[in-house]
Amino acid sequence: MATAIVVYCLALTNGVDGLRLVLIGVGTGMLLLSVNSMLIVKANIYDAQSAGGWLVGTLAGAGWDELKWLALGIAVLGAAALGLSRALLLSELSDESAAGLGQRTGRVRLAAIVVGVLLSSLAVAAAGPIVFVALTAPQIARRLTGASGPNLLASALTGSLLLVLSDHAARELFQPRQVPVGVVTGFLGGIFLAWLLTREWRKGRA
């Protein structure tokens, strides 16, 4: 949350521009990644090995003790996210159009960031930063449902299914060894991102 506040404040200049927010977020993420690398270098070999697996993203260390806190957090924050659905749908319009319909765009964007960061923090605390799920799940859900808007419930279900299938593949396809699920989601997500960028490029050329 502290990182999100810093990124938001740095991006706040006469409102929050989406591109500026993303670029500052990427830069801040790379800075913190270097801090993680320094901590791993200074740690003892066993702690470094454990942290390395967690940084890739794995469900191997998650247990029932974490589940109750995750369930509670998701119940509260998931309800808050669903409550923002209509406002997020209006946010796909320009800020001027959304404001003309009575929406306070700044407050909605800030609330969405807070809820999104807290939900992500819960997942990362339990399983590490499993990459590409948040990128691919909404895109797949939108193509499956054909609906506009954030598709929060469909995206959540799609992301859950994608994670379960990736974890099963990580357990079974590399026997007798088991790889972290983040390796599989990173591989699949990279392919999906390449396909998505190629598709958008072709649409632009057309």
Side-chain angles (χ1 to χ4, degrees), residues 108-132:
V108 170
R109 188 175 288 117
L110 180 59
I113 290 173
V114 170
V115 172
V117 167
L118 289 176
L119 281 169
S120 300
S121 300
L122 285 174
V124 171
I130 301 175
V131 297
F132 278 117

Side-chain angles (χ1 to χ4, degrees), residues 70-155:
L70 284 172
L72 178 61
I74 291 173
V76 175
L77 295 170
L82 290 175
L84 290 169
S85 294
R86 182 179 181 278
L88 291 174
L89 180 60
L90 291 178
S91 295
E92 293 191 354
L93 305 173
S94 65
D95 287 354
E96 293 78 10
S97 299
L101 294 172
Q103 177 171 291
R104 297 182 178 182
T105 55
R107 291 186 178 183
V108 170
R109 188 175 288 117
L110 180 59
I113 290 173
V114 170
V115 172
V117 167
L118 289 176
L119 281 169
S120 300
S121 300
L122 285 174
V124 171
I130 301 175
V131 297
F132 278 117
V133 175
L135 172 68
T136 56
Q139 298 292 336
I140 295 173
R142 175 169 289 193
R143 284 162 175 76
L144 290 176
T145 62
S148 60
N151 287 301
L152 294 180
L153 184 58
S155 297

Side-chain angles (χ1 to χ4, degrees), residues 174-206:
F174 301 94
Q175 293 291 346
R177 299 180 61 88
Q178 177 181 328
V179 301
V181 65
V183 174
V184 177
T185 59
F187 176 76
L188 296 177
I191 294 176
F192 181 80
L193 180 61
W195 172 81
L196 190 63
L197 292 174
T198 302
R199 183 174 180 270
E200 293 300 318
W201 177 75
R202 287 178 176 174
K203 286 174 60 178
R205 291 290 297 271

